[in-house]
Amino acid sequence: MVQDAAGRGYHPGMRAAAIPPIDLGGDTRLLVMTGSGISAESGLATFRGAGGLWEGERVEAVATPEAFAADPARVWRFYGTRRAAAAVAVPNAAHLALAATEARLGDRFLLVTQNVDGLHAAAGSRHVIELHGSLWRSRCSRCRAAPVEDRSADVSPPLPTCPACDRPPARPALMRPDIVWFGESLNPASQEAVGQFIDDAALAGARLVFLAIGTSGNVWPAAGYVRYAAEAGAETWLANLDPALNEGWFDHVVAGPATQVVPALLGVT
Ligand code: APR
């Protein structure tokens, strides 16, 4: 193992088999947060970097409430394309290793994802907190009716409207993807669940491990969870292909593809 100046553990290019698993014994609690990098080897584009979604599209044009108000058909085209890609993607070894670890650790495990592709659930993960929503749901852009399951990839005009608040003479409200867009707040319940898991570990005096996988640390509040966990005494790990913006907050950084690194770190063979 090669230590950098700050004493952090680096494993650049190490053979997966040589990566020692994280100790998850005893009453150790494991909080995992994933980003789009975990789904890259399932054929789904990440956001930033070469070939990323934001390379082909301007965030402001497809992932803000203003963009939807200005050109809902364009926004639906963008999410329709993403639905079509995710519909044929299958979970990879990293998703499967997390599902196996959840089954092993039970309540000592919590999975939080920034991803909207549904691959964690498809891999068998039962309790996933979807911080940024889901591609597979739609909701009304006006009323607070519960989101509905929606797998249609071809969402072209006339765009779907909300059956709950379609009461003339009010203009029908459009349905929108149930995704948290830039400038919008996360569901407070998601944030509370993360905070509760960290606080419960501290209250129980249990060892807490925080593992971030496949995320560049660009987007808050998700990018800040490592600090919250570290301040609560957690041992923090980052498994990522490239250096991340919030890397300085991690005790251990493992550089490599998720399908190799994640099963090794979790001791899943
Ligand atoms: N294995 C591990 N990591 C990978 C792999 C791989 N096979 N492929 C790419 N990565 C890493 C990249 O090195 C990069 O640091 O995944 C990270 C993906 O970063 P981003 O593209 O910035 O995606 P993410 O961090 O998930 O974005 C966060 O931003 O656009 C918004 O709401 C969107 O949820 C998203 C949020």
Side-chain angles (χ1 to χ4, degrees):
M1 180 152 87
V2 184
Q3 299 272 338
D4 73 359
R8 282 191 307 259
Y10 268 91
H11 303 270
M14 263 175 109
R15 269 178 321 102
I19 296 175
I22 300 172
D23 172 10
L24 298 172
D27 190 25
T28 301
R29 315 291 172 91
L30 176 61
L31 175 59
V32 177
M33 182 182 56
T34 62
S36 59
I38 197 172
S39 297
E41 293 161 89
S42 294
L44 295 182
T46 61
F47 291 90
R48 297 163 190 86
L53 285 165
W54 299 147
E55 202 176 56
E57 283 282 4
R58 282 184 317 108
V59 168
E60 304 75 21
V62 291
T64 63
E66 295 75 21
F68 189 73
D71 190 348
R74 178 172 181 182
V75 172
W76 266 121
R77 259 196 321 279
F78 174 71
Y79 284 98
T81 309
R82 292 189 61 195
R83 280 183 176 169
V88 293
V90 294
N92 60 48
H95 298 107
L96 296 168
L98 290 172
T101 304
E102 179 187 40
R104 178 159 69 97
L105 299 189
D107 292 346
R108 296 195 286 122
F109 177 92
L110 182 64
L111 174 57
V112 183
T113 187
Q114 298 169 85
N115 300 345
V116 295
D117 56 33
L119 289 181
H120 286 302
S125 288
R126 304 165 67 88
H127 181 47
V128 185
I129 296 183
E130 296 176 314
L131 289 176
H132 296 164
S134 170
L135 274 175
W136 306 121
R137 293 188 303 264
S138 295
R139 63 180 169 87
C140 177
S141 57
R142 183 165 65 198
C143 79
R144 293 183 170 286
V148 293
E149 183 167 348
D150 180 1
R151 305 189 78 90
S152 52
D154 175 16
V155 186
S156 41
L159 298 175
T161 56
C162 172
C165 66
D166 194 354
R167 294 198 187 86
R171 224 165 27 79
L174 290 179
M175 294 296 277
R176 55 165 281 178
D178 185 27
I179 302 267
V180 179
W181 283 328
F182 288 90
E184 295 185 321
S185 310
L186 271 58
N187 177 343
S190 307
Q191 302 255 70
E192 271 153 38
V194 174
Q196 193 65 53
F197 189 83
I198 293 173
D199 295 349
D200 287 352
L203 278 175
R207 176 167 163 267
L208 174 65
V209 174
F210 176 84
L211 169 62
I213 304 166
T215 184
S216 62
N218 268 279
V219 170
W220 288 71
Y225 288 166
V226 57
R227 291 180 75 163
Y228 187 2
E231 281 158 11
E235 181 186 309
T236 55
W237 291 75
L238 173 65
N240 210 50
L241 205 55
D242 308 297
L245 274 186
N246 58 352
E247 188 160 301
W249 275 87
F250 288 90
D251 301 314
H252 301 280
V253 177
V254 184
T259 56
Q260 293 179 32
V261 171
V262 174
L265 285 176
L266 298 175
V268 174
T269 50

